[in-house]
Amino acid sequence: MVVKNKKLVKRIVSTTLAVSIAFGSLGYAAGFENVLANGKSGYSQDQKVVARVNAERAIEHVRYLSEEIGTRPGGLEAEHIAADYIAKEFKSFGYDVDYQYFPVGDQFIANVSFDNGTVWELAAAPNGKISDEAVTAEVVSVENNDFSNVDGKIALLPRASTVADYRTQVNDAVAEGAVGVILQSLVGSRGNFGQTFNPNLTTPVDVPVYGASYIHGEWLKEKLANGPVEVSLTAKHHSNLQSVNVIATKKAKNRNNDGKTVILGAHHDSVVGAPGANDNASGVGLMLELARVYQGYNTDKDVRFIAFGSEERGLLGSRHYVNQLSQEERDQIEAVFVPDMVATSYEKAENLYAMTVDGSRNTVTDSTVAAGARLGNSDILPGRFGSSDHVPFHNAGIPAALFIWMGIDSWDPLIYHIEKVYHTPQDTIADNISTERMQSALDIIGSGLFDVVRKEVPALEKKNK
Ligand code: BES
Ligand code: ZN
């Protein structure tokens, strides 16, 4: 496999610094640019990062966040536990850490409990029954909208594609005596599997109505094939929730300090029902591992590592962060690196894209593409995409880019490959995390960012300043 070979070559380089071997094996000698824009030897500076960053350490953070904590919906307790974990790690590396709280409204969270102790987290329709008083009944699978078997039962329905049609399905099931409804999401918005969702009803109903992911529905049908399945449904309305950004700051040390700040930010929340190993414990794991390694070096600029809360609820953490900055503070931000989904094992996600909102190049895309070239790593490519925490920065005129593994067949029209399991219960380390891809992202983003924060100017120029 290409990715594996590349990693092997890179490891030889980093352990022996046998630069010539690397050039030879990779065939990169022609056109290879081994010097940074500022005239320094880029390769040896990159090695300070590449020799130290370790994908396994990053994935240990992914494990803690996605397995030990699990789903981390914005504003709920699990998200705050994740924030505390991240803060504790930052502090252990020696950083000053700030919590920045912001309001994120309400969440309607459902639980489906099985006899064997398994509990699923789903999203609940706000105007269905929301109660901690359990509705316990057998589940029946409804096919072809035939509701003749639902009386006194919990109906599992493959969700119709339009809201109007699934509202009709819910009303029909309730009219036939269903005591609960679980809607199975069939397709995701980007060709991924369907995720949990809050069913949007116009007319209130007095039974619980929950929005399950595609795989939840499939798992239920598998169980039903082996005999009757009884479940208990409960739900809770969480109101006036607060979410949190966790901010670690590294102050510039070198004399070249130009008053600029560079940010690396990754969201720590996940969607309801999804453990979010790749989306986005991977970005947080990468950030924590870079924070660990960078703490050993002085930088010319302030570096801020930020774990954003509630991205999945509308980029709320990054938007709040940008909103509370003065214009002067915004002007000081030179570049914002946003890793979001940086370690998928999905085969067709072949490249690590540095995506800007409008497709233009900036310090973030240029520094990482150049780092890839110096390292002989051709995974990194520039691109155009929104949908993550780089958007609020871009909208405020601050250079920012999202890092994400994808496969792009065509930009116009946009034809892309993205993993099927993000936003679902299957976004786990076992099903969706690649150590090689994490290592490649660490090397590239780590080296590109390091180049930006350690732009040393020649001694003479410094004296004349
Ligand atoms: N990591 C995703 C964004 C993403 C997914 C980009 C797949 C490209 C391909 C992010 O966590 C996300 O889900 N974003 C939301 C943004 C919305 C809440 C404003 C999305 O895209 O739905
Ligand atoms: Zn997401």
Side-chain angles (χ1 to χ4, degrees), residues 190 195 267 269-271 279-280 311-312 340-341 387 422-423:
R190 296 192 179 102
Q195 68 181 76
H267 76 85
D269 63 315
S270 74
V271 305
D279 186 8
N280 183 33
E311 186 266 1
E312 302 288 7
D340 185 359
M341 301 169 74
S387 297
Y422 86 95
H423 287 185

Side-chain angles (χ1 to χ4, degrees), residues 41 48 81-82 91 103 135 174 232 326 345 378 387 421 426 443:
S41 165
K48 291 182 176 170
I81 295 172
K91 284 177 191 159
V135 170
V174 173
S232 289
S326 66
S345 54
S378 53
S387 297
V421 299
Q426 297 149 289
D443 293 349

Side-chain angles (χ1 to χ4, degrees), residues 335-357:
V336 183
F337 295 66
V338 177
D340 185 359
M341 301 169 74
V342 287
T344 182
S345 54
Y346 183 60
E347 220 182 313
K348 292 181 179 169
E350 290 178 329
N351 286 100
L352 178 66
Y353 281 91
M355 307 278 210
T356 60
V357 174

Side-chain angles (χ1 to χ4, degrees), residues 394-447:
H394 169 86
N395 291 344
I398 301 166
L402 153 71
F403 292 89
I404 180 168
W405 286 94
M406 286 172 92
I408 311 268
D409 287 351
S410 155
W411 284 103
D412 188 20
L414 181 60
I415 303 170
Y416 61 82
H417 303 281
I418 188 84
E419 72 229 43
K420 305 283 182 202
V421 299
Y422 86 95
H423 287 185
T424 80
Q426 297 149 289
D427 184 6
T428 60
I429 291 182
D431 288 347
N432 200 25
I433 293 291
S434 153
T435 310
E436 286 79 13
R437 295 247 177 94
M438 176 65 91
Q439 187 66 50
S440 179
L442 279 166
D443 293 349
I444 292 170
I445 300 170
S447 300

